[in-house]
C-alpha cells in the first residue's frame, strides 16, 4: 500500500511478527558494531541456515546445482549470499545490496600519548559525523590488532556492563563563551577527538608513567606492543545496546542503523527463502560505503563481479560473456537509509517527497545532489515492475528524496552496480538523526523492508 501508515494494517498476529523481527534485528545490531563483526555474525546465521562457503566449493572444484545455498566472506568485511536459481544465471539475478560500515571514530596508526597524567589515543573520524555529538558519551573499542607473527588479536571492550568504556571530554559550559559562539563544525574539531584510555601511573616509572601503565596492561592482557597499533584497525563506537523508544516501544534507538537496518533484512530475506528460486538470488553486504565505496572491500572493487564469476563457474562452467550477461540482466534493490522527515527540522524537507517514519519501506528514484549529480536514476519501467510486486505482496511503501532540492544530498552504492547495465533502484528505511551516535528507526518500517525484500526476491523478473 502506497503512503499508508503501516501500523494501521497490522492485526495481533502481524504485530507479534513485527516485534519478533525487531528482536532479531536488535540482536544483530548489538552483535555487529563494525563491518567485521557484522560479517562474523552473518556467517554464523548463514551456516545455521544451511549455506556453505563458496571458497570451499572453489578449492574443491565443486559443482553447484539449482537450489544450492552458498555464501562468500570477502576479507572479513563483506559478505555475499546466493541461492542458485532454476533458470540459467544469464537471465539475471535478483540482488539485494546494503552496506555494513557505519560512521565512527577510528584510532590513528601512531595514536598513544600522555598529557598531564592522562593517556589518550589520537583518532581520525570515519564517514560524515557531527563531531560535537561524539563527546561525553560512553564509547566502546572494537577491532583487530594484527601482529608481525601473523596472529590477530580481536578487541571488543565496553559492551559488557562490567567492562570499562572510553570517553572524549568536552569543555565545561562555565568556560565555553568562545566555544559557544563557534559554528557547529568548529565546536569540536577533528583533532580534538582524543580518546581517554587511562590515568593511573605505573609505580616506579618516572617518564610518561600513565602511558607506560596502559602499555603494560595491553602487553599483559593482549600481548601487544605500542608498535602493533601500526597494523591495527580499531573502531570507536557508542557503547551499549539498542533500545526501544517511546511508551509504545514502536521505535528503536541504536548505533549503526545506517545501514544495518537495510543489511539485516536483506540478508534475512535470502536466509529465510525456502526451496529453489526461479532466478538466482543474492544479498551483498558491503564495506566502505560511508567513505565512497573505496578500497578492496568497497563496492567499487571487483570483489562482487569476481564472486559472481566464481559462482557462474561452479554452476555453468566459466564463460566471460555469461558472467557479463548475468550482471547486465540482473535486478537490484540497492538499500540505504533514507532521511526520515523530522518535524523539528521541517524546513529542510519537501513534505510530499519526504520519507515519513512508519509509512513503510522507502524508494528513491534518484539520490545525489545539485541536479541529481552522482546519483543512479532508476528506469521508470523498472519502478513500475516494483510497484506491482509491492502492491501484490501488500507491502507498505513510499517514495522520497533526500531533503529539498539543493539543500544537501548523498550517495549510495546503486550507481556502482548500475555500471553493469543492470536495473537498480535505491530503497531503504527512514532514519531519524542519521549519522548520530544513536540513530532511530521504526519497527514497522523495518518489518515492511523485510516484506519488501522477500517479495522482490520472489517476484522480480527479467525484462
Ligand atoms: Mn551514511
Ligand atoms: Mn548509508
Amino acid at each position: 500500500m502506497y503512503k499508508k501508515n503501516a501500523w494501521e494494517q497490522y492485526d495481533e498476529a502481524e504485530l507479534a511478527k513485527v516485534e519478533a523481527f525487531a528482536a532479531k534485528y536488535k540482536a544483530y545490531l548489538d552483535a555487529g558494531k563494525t563491518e567485521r563483526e557484522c560479517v562474523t555474525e552473518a556467517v554464523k546465521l548463514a551456516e545455521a541456515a544451511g549455506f556453505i562457503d563458496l571458497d570451499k566449493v572453489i578449492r574443491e572444484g565443486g559443482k553447484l546445482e539449482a537450489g544450492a545455498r552458498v555464501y562468500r566472506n570477502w576479507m572479513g568485511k563483506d559478505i555475499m549470499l546466493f541461492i542458485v536459481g532454476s533458470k540459467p544465471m544469464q537471465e539475471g539475478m535478483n540482488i539485494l545490496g546494503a552496506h555494513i560500515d557505519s560512521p565512527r571514530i577510528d584510532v590513528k596508526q601512531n595514536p598513544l600519548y600522555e598529557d598531564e597524567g592522562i593517556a589518550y589515543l589520537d583518532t581520525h573520524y570515519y564517514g560524515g559525523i557531527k563531531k560535537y555529538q561524539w563527546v561525553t558519551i560512553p564509547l566502546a573499542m572494537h577491532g583487530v590488532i594484527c601482529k608481525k607473527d601473523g596472529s590477530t588479536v580481536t578487541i571488543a571492550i565496553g559492551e559488557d556492563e562490567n567492562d570499562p568504556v572510553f570517553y572524549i571530554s568536552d569543555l565545561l559550559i562555565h568556560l565555553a563563551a568562545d566555544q559557544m559562539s563557534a559554528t557547529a563544525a568548529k565546536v569540536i574539531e577533528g583533532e580534538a577527538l582524543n580518546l581517554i584510555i587511562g590515568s593511573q601511573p605505573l609505580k616506579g616509572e618516572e617518564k610518561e608513567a600513565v602511558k607506560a601503565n596502559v602499555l603494560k596492561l595491553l602487553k599483559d592482557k593482549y600481548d601487544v606492543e605500542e608498535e602493533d597499533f601500526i597494523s591495527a584497525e580499531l573502531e570507536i563506537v557508542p557503547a551499549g545496546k539498542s533500545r526501544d523508544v517511546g511508551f509504545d516501544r514502536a521505535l528503536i534507538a541504536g548505533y549503526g542503523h545506517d545501514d544495518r537496518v537495510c543489511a539485516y533484512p536483506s540478508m534475512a530475506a535470502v536466509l529465510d527463502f525456502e526451496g529453489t528460486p526461479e532466478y538466482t538470488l543474492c544479498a551483498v553486504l558491503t564495506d566502505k560505503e560511508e567513505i565512497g565505496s573505496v578500497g578492496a572491500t568497497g563496492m567499487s572493487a571487483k570483489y562482487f563481479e569476481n564472486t559472481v564469476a566464481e559462482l557462474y563457474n561452479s554452476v555453468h562452467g566459466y564463460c566471460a560473456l555469461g558472467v557479463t550477461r548475468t550482471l547486465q540482466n540482473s535486478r537490484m534493490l540497492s538499500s540505504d537509509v533514507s532521511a526520515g522527515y523530522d518535524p523539528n527540522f521541517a524546513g529542510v524537507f519537501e513534505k510530499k517527497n519526504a520519507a515519513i517514519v512508519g509509512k513503510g519501506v522507502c524508494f528513491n528514484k534518484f539520490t545525489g545532489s545539485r541536479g541529481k549529480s552522482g546519483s543512479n536514476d532508476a528506469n521508470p519501467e523498472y519502478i513500475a515492475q516494483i510497484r506491482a510486486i509491492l502492491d501484490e505482496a501488500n507491502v507498505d511503501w513510499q517514495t522520497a528524496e533526500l531533503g529539498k532540492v539543493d539543500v544537501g544530498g548523498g550517495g549510495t552504492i546503486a550507481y556502482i552496480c548500475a555500471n553493469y547495465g543492470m536495473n537498480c533502484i535505491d530503497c531503504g528505511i527512514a532514519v531519524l538523526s542519521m549519522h548520530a551516535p544513536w540513530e532511530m528507526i521504526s519497527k514497522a518500517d523495518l518489518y515492511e523492508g523485510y516484506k519488501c525484500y522477500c517479495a522482490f526476491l520472489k517476484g522480480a523478473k527479467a525484462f
Side-chain angles (χ1 to χ4, degrees):
M1 309 267 275
Y2 181 57
K3 279 196 168 179
K4 292 279 187 306
N5 188 301
W7 291 105
E8 286 170 6
Q9 70 153 328
Y10 299 144
D11 57 18
E12 285 300 314
E14 196 92 19
L15 279 172
K17 287 189 192 171
V18 172
E19 195 51 45
F21 193 79
K24 288 195 283 184
Y25 168 59
K26 285 190 287 179
Y28 184 75
L29 199 60
D30 295 340
K33 290 236 173 150
T34 67
E35 54 284 341
R36 282 176 192 272
E37 291 173 352
C38 284
V39 167
T40 302
E41 282 305 302
V43 168
K44 278 187 213 160
L45 294 169
E47 288 185 344
F51 284 66
I52 57 169
D53 186 349
L54 180 60
D55 279 318
K56 187 164 179 285
V57 177
I58 295 168
R59 273 197 308 277
E60 295 170 357
K63 286 285 152 215
L64 297 172
E65 310 213 317
R69 299 156 80 88
V70 293
Y71 72 86
R72 191 176 206 200
N73 171 349
W74 183 246
M75 292 183 165
K77 298 181 183 183
D78 303 291
I79 188 160
M80 294 151 277
L81 304 149
F82 299 91
I83 305 178
V84 178
S86 54
K87 285 179 181 286
M89 284 181 68
Q90 294 197 22
E91 296 194 29
M93 303 182 289
N94 291 345
I95 306 172
L96 299 170
H99 70 90
I100 45 175
D101 61 316
S102 298
R104 60 178 187 255
I105 298 172
D106 283 346
V107 173
K108 286 188 184 182
Q109 280 358 94
N110 185 13
L112 182 59
Y113 69 98
E114 175 176 342
D115 197 345
E116 292 303 329
I118 299 179
Y120 293 93
L121 292 180
D122 213 334
T123 68
H124 192 143
Y125 62 96
Y126 173 97
I129 62 168
K130 289 178 166 180
K131 294 179 277 285
Y132 65 79
Q133 292 177 331
W134 293 71
V135 298
T136 72
I137 58 171
L139 295 166
M141 183 184 298
H142 293 245
V144 292
I145 302 174
C146 300
K147 300 202 294 180
K148 282 201 291 187
D149 65 6
S151 63
T152 295
V153 180
T154 301
I155 303 278
I157 307 166
E159 302 298 346
D160 189 285
E161 62 183 27
N162 297 312
D163 279 358
V165 294
F166 305 94
Y167 186 88
I168 300 171
S169 62
D170 192 5
L171 184 58
L172 65 167
I173 183 69
H174 314 68
L175 301 179
D178 284 351
Q179 186 196 38
M180 295 299 282
S181 60
T183 59
K186 298 272 180 188
V187 165
I188 298 291
E189 304 221 38
E191 283 295 352
L193 293 175
N194 300 319
L195 190 73
I196 295 177
I197 57 161
S199 64
Q200 189 179 344
L202 184 65
K203 279 216 170 74
E205 187 77 25
E206 293 196 353
K207 254 184 74 186
E208 300 199 307
V210 175
K211 177 178 161 180
N213 197 41
V214 165
L215 285 171
K216 181 177 184 301
L217 291 169
L218 288 173
K219 180 76 188 162
D220 291 350
K221 179 127 200 233
Y222 301 105
D223 194 24
V224 294
E225 320 276 346
E226 184 171 5
E227 269 192 22
D228 291 328
F229 279 115
I230 293 170
S231 48
E233 210 164 70
L234 296 172
E235 307 183 6
I236 308 305
V237 299
K241 290 182 176 3
S242 51
R243 304 284 294 267
D244 291 349
V245 175
F247 289 115
D248 55 13
R249 313 185 77 109
L251 303 164
I252 303 170
Y255 166 67
H257 285 313
D258 179 4
D259 184 34
R260 294 152 193 162
V261 73
C262 299
Y264 178 75
S266 292
M267 168 177 69
V270 174
L271 294 180
D272 294 349
F273 190 93
E274 289 175 5
T276 302
E278 212 181 339
Y279 297 98
T280 296
L281 307 183
C282 170
V284 49
L285 310 190
T286 191
D287 182 28
K288 294 286 183 282
E289 191 279 336
E290 294 293 356
I291 60 168
S293 299
V294 295
T297 56
M299 202 68 214
S300 296
K302 291 274 189 279
Y303 75 84
F304 180 65
E305 180 185 331
N306 293 348
T307 299
V308 171
E310 294 285 3
L311 183 71
Y312 194 97
N313 182 48
S314 301
V315 175
H316 299 295
Y318 183 66
C319 166
L321 186 59
V323 174
T324 300
R325 286 178 179 159
T326 299
L327 290 162
Q328 159 194 289
N329 295 335
S330 287
R331 287 97 10 213
M332 182 172 188
L333 297 185
S334 167
S335 291
D336 204 345
V337 290
S338 244
Y341 175 80
D342 188 336
N344 279 346
F345 303 97
V348 300
F349 295 95
E350 191 264 288
K351 219 171 176 176
K352 300 191 300 305
N353 288 289
I356 309 295
V357 168
K359 288 198 173 174
V361 61
C362 183
F363 280 79
N364 312 75
K365 184 175 185 302
F366 50 85
T367 57
S369 56
R370 296 174 303 281
K372 304 187 178 179
S373 178
S375 95
N376 165 62
D377 203 346
N379 290 328
E381 292 86 348
Y382 180 48
I383 300 176
Q385 183 188 112
I386 287 177
R387 286 173 58 203
I389 292 168
L390 297 174
D391 287 344
E392 168 74 23
N394 199 26
V395 173
D396 281 304
W397 65 284
Q398 53 185 326
T399 54
E401 284 186 42
L402 181 52
K404 276 182 180 170
V405 176
D406 287 343
V407 166
T412 65
I413 62 168
Y415 76 97
I416 302 163
C417 302
N419 283 340
Y420 292 107
M422 69 175 71
N423 266 299
C424 187
I425 185 168
D426 279 291
C427 72
I429 285 148
V431 170
L432 294 187
S433 311
M434 194 190 294
H435 286 202
W438 299 98
E439 305 172 313
M440 203 159 63
I441 59 108
S442 159
K443 291 179 180 175
D445 295 338
L446 168 69
Y447 183 67
E448 294 303 314
Y450 172 66
K451 274 169 58 187
C452 159
Y453 299 143
C454 292
F456 171 83
L457 291 179
K458 279 204 181 78
K461 289 200 167 18
F463 280 90

